Amino acid sequence: MRHRVTVGSRVFTFHRITGLLILGYLYLHLALLSSVLLPQGPRDFNAVAQVVERPPFLAGDLLLFALLLYHAVNGLRLVLVDLGWFIRRRTIGLIGAGAVGLVVLGLMAGALWPFVVR
Amino acid sequence: MQIEQVDLLILGSGGAGLFAALHAYDTNPRLAILVATKGLLGKSGCTRMVQGGFNVVLDPRDSLELHFTDTLKGGRYLNDQELAWVLVHDAPATIHELETRVGCFFDRREDGTIHQKPFAGQSFDRTVHRGDLTGIEIMERLRDQVLARGIPVWEEHRAVELMVAEGRCVGALLLDIRQGRFVGVEARATLLATGGGPTMYKISAPSLEKSEDGLALAYRAGAVMRDMEMVQFHPTGLLAGAGRVTGSVLEEGLRGAGGRLYNALGERYMARYDPERMERATRDVVSRAGYLEIMAGRGGPQGGVFIDVSHLGADFVRKTFPGMVQRVRDVGFDLATGPVEVSPTAHFHMGGVAIDPDGHSSLPGLYVAGEDAGGVHGANRLGGNGVAESTVFGRRVGDALGQEAAALPRGHLPPQAWEARARHHRRFWERKGGENPAHLLQELRQLMWEKCGLVRNQADLQACLVGLARLRDRLEAVSVAGSPSYNLRWSDALNLESLITVSELIAAAALLREESRGSHFRADFPQENDGEWLKNIFMALSGDATRVWTEPVRFTRQRPPGWEAGKEDEAQHGTRVAPGTV
Amino acid sequence: MATAERHSSSESAGRPRPLSWSWLLQRLSGVLLILLVGGHLWAEHFQQPGQLIQYQGVLARLQQGLFQVLDLGLLVAVVFHGLNGLVNVVSERWPALSRAAGLLGLVVGTATVLWGADILWVFWYRHPFLEL
Amino acid sequence: MAKTVTVVIDRSDAGAQRRFEVPVGRRETVLDALFYIQNDLDPTLSFRCACRVGMCGSCGILVNGGERLACRTALEPLGPVVELAPLRYFPRVKDLVVDFSAFYSRYRAVAPYLKPRPAVVDPVVAPPGSGLREEIDLGLECISCGLCLSACDVVGQVPEFLGPAALNRAYNLVADVRDAADAERLEVVGDRRRGVWQCHSHMSCVEVCPKGLAPTRAIAHLRRKLVAQAFFGRRPRPVPSQQRFAEGAR
């Protein structure tokens, strides 16, 4: 049986995908910290920090943040739905969530800018 | 053929059928009940389609006597007064049960009590409703209660024959539409609650699968029928071109709330027909007025007149009649802000099987409730009395069945008898390349609309009977092919047979009644003739011929104004026989 | 016509209602995470915009109990939220595996929290292998 | 009437004709197209309908992949090609006709009928603002057409899920001061596997409901009710004022 593809299901599928990616990143983050920190100490920590805070990595950071933001904003929207908001006005909920996400993403990009021009 | 045995077979799952099932079950839980329905449980039929609401006396300022008088006046005193009294008397208890036991939640007033809205032909605002789509709430909740009791239901099993043995109805032959095979059900008692549904008219309101099956079945089984000429046309059927929405009703509450009717010239034409009550006149009057306006060339582009409620305020209309606004929007108009083109539409059959107040027909073992029965509404039904009838009588007949059914004898018919009837209904399969029943149905609808519709006369009715005879011949040339499973062409053929049968009765009775009364209007006898025609026309099949006779109305509770007692005795002897047979 | 009476409670005896803790905690942890992740990012990266993250800075911060608690809470919440979500996905697709997935999630989750706690521990107690 | 639409129908008999050219007028619906095809092009086509005005919920099908009532879907705006198929998750009887057992097995499970409280003997007095009716009002008028069930993304993943219509009905009764069975009903809808927890709030049910109902809303309320009761226990419902009838109604 063909499964139904709707706005709702697309939004939710992406929610789950971002969730999985973020979970993957958690392990990457822990692995990096433990592999650099435990055996090697502050010098290497700072060396690694030098590398991972260069612009290409910052772009990656921004992407990661976007995933996180999507998951967070949509998750918050779903919690609000459970509280009875945005059910009859789903479109408003979706547009609102999108707008909030974009604004926060813009703020984040602005906050990262000093790292680029450093 | 599979032949099942039950105590009580209920045909139909509308308001009458399901209420009867609940009451029969609650009165006697050991009764083996089976509900068989042509469509899906609680979804086919016309209680589901009730819009306006349910007439009932609840307010201390109202009274049963007032409701009763309104009903008789509306019915032009042709009603069976005992049935009409039951309707009025049991309605409050029925609403009470719907609210406190069945689970309906009707609309409320500001003070929290049940709201009652104005309808036409009533001396008090007494129509209980849930928005403007009341039938949904009633049927969904009745269906829920049937589920609660686990009463067996056979969906999409249409009755094609009532089986009679030694003068008793012993059950019914059903067609399992999905499998395309016949099943026999032997029952001590059979309740006919399929609803009428005069869909033999070009413009008609009932649910599409309706085809007066119940009336045709009862007539063929030999039950006595009454008032068959009385077909109600609702004044405001929506017009939507060739679409099937055409004919669906815009509810009476629109007129009750102050809606106005205009012709294409912009005249509020009701002033010419009923200057006192205007649009709130009874349905027979308003329908005929609309029809005459259209026939006089004062109709709109789709051949209709216009209902306008915009002067009541767009917000009020949207809030009070959301279902109607949506329906009209679906076909491209805005009810809240402008006029909408409508036409009279065949809506309800006042005639039907003659019953007593507990639903007994003249055929032992056969009970009837709802629109299949005749007599409650006389010559014209008041808006809001229809769903009241189906539920009040379903409930009451259910009680009677709970008490009586278990003790009734079980009649047997040999399997060959069942087979023979099944073969009869399979005859369409033996031909190839024959007539298309869907096209014959269109011809029937045109014929009945033109010759036996809102305005009748002798020549037309005679022509109608000739036309019907021709259609009956052509029915025997219909062929059906393909798989028998869910075969809609076969359904069309069976529907057509029922509709032709009932049309013949309507036309014959209409020819006989040489006066105008309620929904029956004869251009050649335009006056109501109380002296001659406060009589009911009865019909029954006996052998191959139709017995037709009249009986004076018995005024057991109320006499028409101006009626002199002396006339009654005179009329008692006025029994007459119809010219020829049907 | 209308009467009002107060109710005596014979009709409705209370018994505990079924509640999906998994559902409830997923939502609570989700909302909590928005705060914690925001705090974490702020604390680690945006104290001095444009400055590189420095071991000493991290160390100094994490020796304050507040940040230690923040990160520990973040760790627990994120592990629960992520793995519980994963377990839900698995048990929706393959109901037969839901028990196994739940147990596995519990084991992996505990391990992950211990692992993460170990990393935080480094900063808290000045791991003996490390030299300042 | 020169304009035509190509209607492609998912037939149960693989050999049956699938494509039909249907003339289209301004006010005709998908249901009208089905009648035209069955009457004049292929009498073996099977579909179901009854009231044709959106009150009975018999004619639900997939129109271009989305759940619609055939009787309330105008044909012309759908474009030159229209694909019709039976509802998802319902066993097929023939062509576009499905068996509603898929719907009723779920619906029945929530005890969808009023079990009246002994203390409520007359219709309750429910003025606007009393809270006795507002919640229920939003969920009434369900016509059990099954569109929401077919559209529900969860039902595909979790076949036991009770689905939007059944949960909507359950909430109506839980919110109904007349009903005595909310304890058992909450137990069913709170079930981990079948119940409200499974809903992902996609709101596909809200999107397709031909009556504009929002089962997601009912589900959200049920969840909150379950959470509140788990923490704060159950408060007995006060007996509402009741309307005495003018004449001996009982």
Side-chain angles (χ1 to χ4, degrees):
Chain A
M1 200 165 311
R2 286 172 305 149
H3 198 70
R4 183 184 170 81
V5 182
T6 58
V7 181
S9 70
R10 279 208 193 93
V11 168
F12 190 77
T13 307
F14 198 54
H15 188 76
R16 288 212 148 156
I17 291 172
T18 53
L20 288 174
L21 290 174
I22 294 164
L23 187 63
Y25 173 77
L26 170 71
Y27 282 94
L28 194 71
H29 190 54
L30 290 177
L32 188 68
L33 287 175
S34 64
S35 64
V36 175
L37 283 176
L38 285 176
Q40 278 142 6
R43 209 155 20 96
D44 294 289
F45 181 97
N46 290 344
V48 170
Q50 284 261 313
V51 175
V52 299
E53 295 202 357
R54 284 184 189 148
F57 284 94
L58 288 176
D61 278 352
L62 195 63
L63 179 69
L64 173 72
F65 185 73
L67 298 181
L68 210 64
L69 195 64
Y70 176 89
H71 199 83
V73 173
N74 189 52
L76 199 60
R77 183 184 67 91
L78 291 178
V79 170
L80 291 180
V81 165
D82 281 326
L83 295 175
W85 299 27
F86 302 129
I87 293 179
R88 284 167 182 276
R89 294 185 173 80
R90 185 181 69 159
T91 315
I92 295 177
L94 285 171
I95 292 174
V100 169
L102 284 176
V103 167
V104 177
L105 193 65
L107 289 176
M108 187 63 179
L112 284 178
W113 187 244
F115 292 96
V116 179
V117 298
R118 176 181 64 227
Chain B
M1 187 195 311
Q2 173 195 351
I3 296 178
E4 298 278 328
Q5 283 199 336
V6 296
D7 295 325
L8 170 58
L9 172 62
I10 296 177
L11 302 172
S13 69
L18 293 191
F19 229 135
L22 298 180
H23 270 250
Y25 180 93
D26 290 346
T27 309
N28 180 2
R30 283 179 308 177
L31 208 59
I33 303 175
L34 174 66
V35 178
T37 172
K38 192 176 186 177
L40 295 172
L41 170 60
K43 286 172 178 281
S44 80
C46 287
T47 311
R48 167 67 73 159
M49 293 178 73
V50 167
Q51 296 169 168
F54 188 124
N55 290 348
V56 55
V57 176
L58 299 181
D59 198 292
R61 291 164 295 173
D62 196 5
S63 77
L64 296 181
E65 286 69 24
L66 273 177
H67 185 190
F68 183 64
T69 303
D70 287 346
T71 301
L72 295 189
K73 264 194 196 157
R76 304 312 305 152
Y77 288 90
L78 219 52
N79 320 53
D80 177 324
Q81 298 199 348
E82 293 310 301
L83 296 182
W85 179 253
V86 165
L87 174 84
V88 165
H89 179 265
D90 283 10
T94 305
I95 281 291
H96 188 273
E97 181 173 348
L98 283 168
E99 267 272 343
T100 58
R101 292 290 164 259
V102 176
C104 296
F105 210 146
F106 296 108
D107 282 2
R108 293 297 200 262
R109 295 191 179 106
E110 281 298 311
D111 70 357
T113 58
I114 294 175
H115 184 250
Q116 296 184 277
K117 69 177 171 184
F119 251 36
Q122 294 182 21
S123 51
F124 196 87
D125 297 347
R126 64 168 75 94
T127 306
V128 168
H129 64 109
R130 149 72 195 152
D132 58 349
L133 299 175
T134 309
I136 294 174
E137 175 72 351
I138 293 178
M139 283 318 303
E140 290 275 322
R141 301 295 81 86
L142 284 172
R143 187 268 326 272
D144 293 345
Q145 294 296 336
V146 167
L147 294 179
R149 288 163 179 74
I151 297 169
V153 179
W154 286 359
E155 292 186 318
E156 296 185 324
H157 279 66
R158 69 179 290 174
V160 293
E161 202 80 50
L162 293 172
M163 302 302 284
V164 179
E166 289 158 7
R168 287 191 66 79
C169 176
V170 299
L173 180 68
L174 310 180
L175 170 61
D176 175 349
I177 295 172
R178 295 181 191 176
Q179 308 284 329
R181 66 190 173 94
F182 289 97
V183 191
V185 179
E186 267 185 13
R188 296 178 195 277
T190 304
L191 172 63
L192 197 60
T194 66
T199 57
M200 67 286 271
Y201 288 91
K202 184 179 80 182
I203 301 176
S204 63
S207 192
L208 296 181
E209 84 289 357
K210 301 216 80 173
S211 53
E212 301 257 28
D213 289 340
L215 271 63
L217 259 59
Y219 169 72
R220 284 209 302 269
V224 172
M225 319 291 287
R226 60 177 288 168
D227 304 336
M228 290 300 284
E229 71 279 22
M230 296 302 176
V231 176
Q232 176 170 79
F233 291 79
H234 194 290
T236 54
L238 185 57
L239 288 175
R244 293 267 175 328
V245 176
T246 288
S248 65
V249 164
L250 293 183
E251 73 130 317
E252 185 143 313
L254 295 172
R255 285 186 294 126
R260 295 171 182 166
L261 292 167
Y262 295 96
N263 62 20
L265 306 176
E267 298 167 327
R268 220 175 140 193
Y269 59 83
M270 281 311 295
R272 284 201 289 278
Y273 299 90
D274 195 331
E276 202 172 309
R277 296 183 296 177
M278 296 293 283
E279 285 87 357
R280 277 190 69 173
T282 49
R283 288 176 177 176
D284 49 348
V285 175
V286 185
S287 291
R288 192 157 45 248
Y291 182 82
L292 291 171
E293 288 299 306
I294 295 164
M295 287 297 122
R298 295 190 285 271
Q302 292 196 67
V305 290
F306 298 90
I307 185 162
D308 190 356
V309 289
S310 58
H311 61 281
L312 301 175
D315 288 340
F316 170 81
V317 174
R318 288 197 193 98
K319 194 168 151 284
T320 318
F321 304 104
M324 299 300 107
V325 170
Q326 182 189 54
R327 182 173 302 170
V328 170
R329 194 192 301 125
D330 279 355
V331 300
F333 299 103
D334 186 357
L335 182 65
T337 59
V340 174
E341 197 168 356
V342 294
S343 159
T345 177
H347 182 57
F348 182 88
H349 205 160
M350 276 75 69
V353 184
I355 57 166
D356 74 4
D358 286 323
H360 299 97
S361 73
S362 64
L363 186 64
L366 180 66
Y367 293 68
V368 185
E371 195 182 342
D372 282 337
V376 180
H377 310 292
N380 174 57
R381 172 170 77 72
L382 292 186
N385 269 359
V387 64
E389 180 194 9
S390 60
T391 51
V392 160
F393 282 88
R395 194 167 165 272
R396 193 177 167 97
V397 178
D399 285 338
L401 284 163
Q403 283 157 16
E404 297 169 15
L408 292 175
R410 194 184 279 292
H412 283 290
L413 273 179
Q416 305 88 287
W418 295 88
E419 287 292 351
R421 292 321 297 167
R423 243 189 336 271
H424 175 73
H425 295 289
R426 269 196 215 104
R427 67 193 188 280
F428 306 109
W429 294 84
E430 291 155 10
R431 292 181 281 269
K432 284 208 183 350
E435 294 259 17
N436 182 343
H439 295 162
L440 292 185
L441 191 57
Q442 292 315 312
E443 290 185 36
L444 171 68
R445 287 156 64 95
Q446 194 67 38
L447 175 72
M448 288 298 285
W449 186 259
E450 286 172 3
K451 307 285 186 202
C452 190
L454 289 114
V455 176
R456 304 163 172 174
N457 67 58
Q458 186 180 17
D460 279 354
L461 290 167
Q462 282 163 343
C464 183
L465 284 168
V466 173
L468 287 170
R470 237 178 253 140
L471 281 170
R472 188 174 273 291
D473 288 342
R474 289 169 66 193
L475 171 68
E476 295 311 317
V478 161
S479 69
V480 173
S483 151
S485 156
Y486 223 102
N487 191 306
L488 295 180
R489 181 159 283 189
W490 193 10
S491 291
D492 283 344
L494 296 169
N495 290 346
L496 184 63
E497 183 164 15
S498 293
L499 287 172
I500 291 176
T501 303
V502 177
S503 298
E504 287 167 344
L505 300 179
I506 295 172
L511 188 59
L512 188 56
R513 182 174 288 278
E514 294 185 331
E515 66 150 355
S516 293
R517 183 177 296 274
S519 304
H520 170 74
F521 186 83
R522 287 278 300 255
D524 42 355
F525 298 96
Q527 300 302 322
E528 220 172 57
N529 181 353
D530 279 357
E532 186 77 14
W533 274 109
L534 272 169
K535 292 176 190 153
N536 299 107
I537 300 177
F538 291 85
M539 301 172 134
L541 187 65
S542 82
D544 282 339
T546 306
R547 237 159 34 88
V548 183
W549 70 99
T550 63
E551 287 174 25
V553 179
R554 271 169 304 190
F555 303 118
T556 52
R557 289 178 184 271
Q558 200 180 105
R559 289 180 181 173
W563 178 257
E564 298 149 36
K567 284 188 185 171
E568 241 164 303
D569 303 322
E570 195 185 316
Q572 292 292 348
H573 306 288
T575 304
R576 25 193 300 171
V577 178
T581 53
V582 175
Chain C
M1 133 176 75
T3 58
E5 329 144 22
R6 280 284 107 184
H7 176 59
S8 66
S9 75
S10 63
E11 286 174 33
S12 42
R15 70 183 136 140
R17 303 288 144 243
L19 169 69
S20 172
W21 285 101
S22 148
W23 177 86
L24 184 63
L25 290 177
Q26 188 73 355
R27 268 132 195 89
L28 291 177
S29 61
V31 175
L32 191 65
L33 274 173
I34 292 177
L35 302 174
L36 291 177
V37 171
H40 179 76
L41 289 177
W42 178 253
E44 303 296 341
H45 300 281
F46 295 102
Q47 294 293 57
Q48 296 145 307
Q51 288 276 308
L52 277 185
I53 190 165
Q54 290 284 326
Y55 187 80
Q56 281 74 11
V58 176
L59 180 65
R61 216 169 15 257
L62 277 182
Q63 290 197 332
Q64 303 166 39
L66 175 69
F67 290 101
Q68 188 65 231
V69 169
L70 181 88
D71 273 14
L72 205 61
L74 172 63
L75 179 69
V76 173
V78 81
V79 167
F80 174 82
H81 190 85
L83 290 178
N84 187 50
L86 195 59
V87 168
N88 284 343
V89 175
V90 171
S91 36
E92 274 169 31
R93 290 244 167 215
W94 302 281
L97 298 182
S98 60
R99 245 188 117 73
L103 281 174
L104 192 66
L106 191 66
V107 172
V108 172
T110 313
T112 311
V113 169
L114 289 176
W115 182 23
D118 187 48
I119 296 168
L120 289 171
W121 171 273
V122 170
F123 294 98
W124 188 273
Y125 284 108
R126 302 189 185 191
H127 200 282
F129 298 161
L130 295 179
E131 166 103 353
L132 282 177
Chain D
M1 264 319 218
K3 204 177 163 194
T4 64
V5 167
T6 303
V7 178
V8 185
I9 303 177
D10 181 353
R11 306 287 298 267
S12 41
D13 172 3
Q17 186 182 351
R18 298 169 57 88
R19 299 178 73 88
F20 303 93
E21 294 295 315
V22 177
V24 56
R26 204 156 61 86
R27 301 211 173 85
E28 272 130 59
T29 61
V30 170
L31 184 64
D32 292 315
L34 289 169
F35 269 108
Y36 174 75
I37 293 168
Q38 191 272 326
N39 283 348
D40 293 316
L41 304 179
D42 183 353
T44 66
L45 175 70
S46 300
F47 61 94
R48 179 190 281 137
C49 70
C51 77
R52 58 82 166 80
V53 286
M55 289 181 79
C56 75
S58 301
C59 66
I61 52 172
L62 301 187
V63 178
N64 289 338
E67 284 75 8
R68 303 295 295 267
L69 292 181
C71 70
R72 288 203 49 218
T73 306
L75 190 57
E76 201 188 16
L78 296 172
V81 180
V82 178
E83 290 184 29
L84 306 180
L87 294 180
R88 299 176 177 88
Y89 316 128
F90 288 70
R92 168 137 80 172
V93 174
K94 194 183 160 203
D95 294 342
L96 299 175
V97 180
V98 296
D99 184 342
F100 264 66
S101 58
F103 180 86
Y104 279 115
S105 59
R106 292 175 170 87
Y107 189 73
R108 272 182 119 122
V110 303
Y113 32 83
L114 180 77
K115 289 194 179 174
R117 288 167 66 181
V120 176
V121 292
D122 281 317
V124 299
V125 174
S130 65
L132 292 173
R133 191 182 156 77
E134 284 83 351
E135 283 297 308
I136 299 172
D137 214 31
L138 291 171
L140 288 182
E141 256 180 42
C142 169
I143 54 173
S144 49
C145 61
L147 297 196
C148 55
L149 188 65
S150 172
C152 177
D153 311 72
V154 177
V155 172
Q157 308 268 320
V158 185
E160 304 96 308
F161 181 49
L162 291 165
L167 292 171
N168 180 68
R169 180 68 189 134
Y171 177 60
N172 266 357
L173 287 161
V174 165
D176 195 329
V177 72
R178 302 171 301 174
D179 187 76
D182 61 328
E184 57 185 273
R185 209 168 279 120
L186 283 173
E187 195 139 319
V188 176
V189 304
D191 184 84
R192 224 164 273 250
R193 186 82 194 145
R194 298 189 286 171
V196 287
W197 315 116
Q198 291 287 1
C199 171
H200 290 159
S201 314
H202 289 178
M203 289 186 267
S204 301
C205 51
V206 186
E207 208 174 308
V208 301
C209 179
K211 304 302 297 179
L213 305 185
T216 307
R217 188 178 170 283
I219 291 170
H221 276 275
L222 285 172
R223 283 167 169 170
R224 278 149 61 193
K225 193 128 197 153
L226 287 162
V227 171
Q229 295 209 347
F231 287 102
F232 308 116
R234 207 162 156 259
R235 261 168 292 169
R237 296 173 177 187
V239 172
S241 311
Q242 293 169 37
Q243 175 182 0
R244 299 269 180 258
F245 272 20
E247 311 206 19
R250 265 162 287 152

